[in-house]
Amino acid sequence: ECGLESGWEGEARLGAEVAAREEEEDHLRAVLAEHGELDFWRLAIKPGKPFTYGRIDDIPFFGLPGNPSAVLVCYLMLVLPALRRSCGADAVLPTAMPLPVDFTIKKPAKRQEYLRVRCVSESGQLILKKNPNQSSGMLSSAVWADGLAVVPEGGTVSPGDTLLFLSFSGLSGLIFLISIYLSIYLSIYLSIYL
């Protein structure tokens, strides 16, 4: 438990825990279920399947996955929009831009997938290029990319197909950079010291 319930008195605050893994040693779900409400702990997205959401004393709790790219996707697509909504914002995600791609994905996606892509101009046409390493443990693909392309569940992709593109600048701005560095630091710290 390590004081999960401590420090929750007073003003409403947001709790965040890194490493909501699906491993047997993951006690986060049990502790959250015992001391609060566990709403869900898996999502049909890639990367980011082991994402936990619940409440402790009516305060939202977000359990982020352990891999850096999964943290990135879950934070940008789930946590940041929730924070924006709690601050009264109506538009919590930017408008997605449909753009053609120059890559192939033959195997149908089992979950909605967020690919790290770069938007480039070729012959006056914007086109999305996929980073070759989409492993959830590789953050370098996010550094290389300038946004996410959304592949719907069950979808395959061929060159020229159109996918929805969410630019990192539209998703986050400066908050994005600060939060990513913080998330990386926490992920590394927890993996070393816990």
Side-chain angles (χ1 to χ4, degrees), residues 6 8 13 57 72 74 106 119 143-144 157 177 181 190:
S6 66
W8 289 88
R13 288 186 273 163
D57 295 332
L72 168 75
C74 287
K106 293 180 182 180
C119 182
V143 173
W144 171 89
V157 180
L177 296 175
Y181 286 118
L190 291 174

Side-chain angles (χ1 to χ4, degrees), residues 130-190:
K130 177 179 75 120
N131 188 285
N133 191 341
Q134 292 290 318
S135 167
S136 62
M138 293 299 297
L139 194 58
S140 60
S141 61
V143 173
W144 171 89
D146 56 12
L148 300 170
V150 183
V151 180
E153 181 179 352
T156 59
V157 180
S158 298
D161 287 353
T162 301
L163 293 179
L164 294 178
F165 173 70
L166 296 160
S167 73
F168 287 153
S169 62
L171 282 166
S172 57
L174 182 59
I175 292 173
F176 168 71
L177 296 175
I178 294 168
S179 63
I180 292 306
Y181 286 118
L182 178 60
S183 298
I184 294 167
Y185 173 78
L186 286 174
S187 182
I188 293 169
Y189 177 83
L190 291 174

Side-chain angles (χ1 to χ4, degrees), residues 31-158:
V31 171
L32 190 57
E34 182 179 335
H35 295 283
E37 298 173 34
L38 175 62
D39 293 324
F40 59 84
W41 58 275
R42 283 189 185 168
L43 294 175
I45 64 172
K46 182 179 179 181
K49 181 179 176 183
F51 177 84
T52 304
Y53 176 77
R55 294 180 170 275
I56 298 176
D57 295 332
D58 250 1
I59 299 166
F61 182 94
F62 300 91
L64 299 172
N67 287 321
S69 289
V71 168
L72 168 75
V73 169
C74 287
Y75 185 81
L76 290 176
M77 302 308 297
L78 303 167
V79 178
L80 191 55
L83 293 173
R84 287 177 174 154
R85 179 75 59 189
S86 72
C87 292
D90 291 327
V92 295
L93 286 173
T95 303
M97 184 182 339
L99 290 174
V101 303
D102 78 341
F103 53 87
T104 301
I105 299 177
K106 293 180 182 180
K107 187 176 178 182
K110 292 181 181 180
R111 303 172 269 166
Q112 181 164 296
E113 192 164 351
Y114 294 88
L115 303 174
R116 275 84 68 208
V117 296
R118 184 179 279 176
C119 182
V120 299
S121 178
E122 289 185 355
S123 302
Q125 168 76 35
L126 291 178
I127 192 163
L128 299 178
K129 294 186 172 287
K130 177 179 75 120
N131 188 285
N133 191 341
Q134 292 290 318
S135 167
S136 62
M138 293 299 297
L139 194 58
S140 60
S141 61
V143 173
W144 171 89
D146 56 12
L148 300 170
V150 183
V151 180
E153 181 179 352
T156 59
V157 180
S158 298

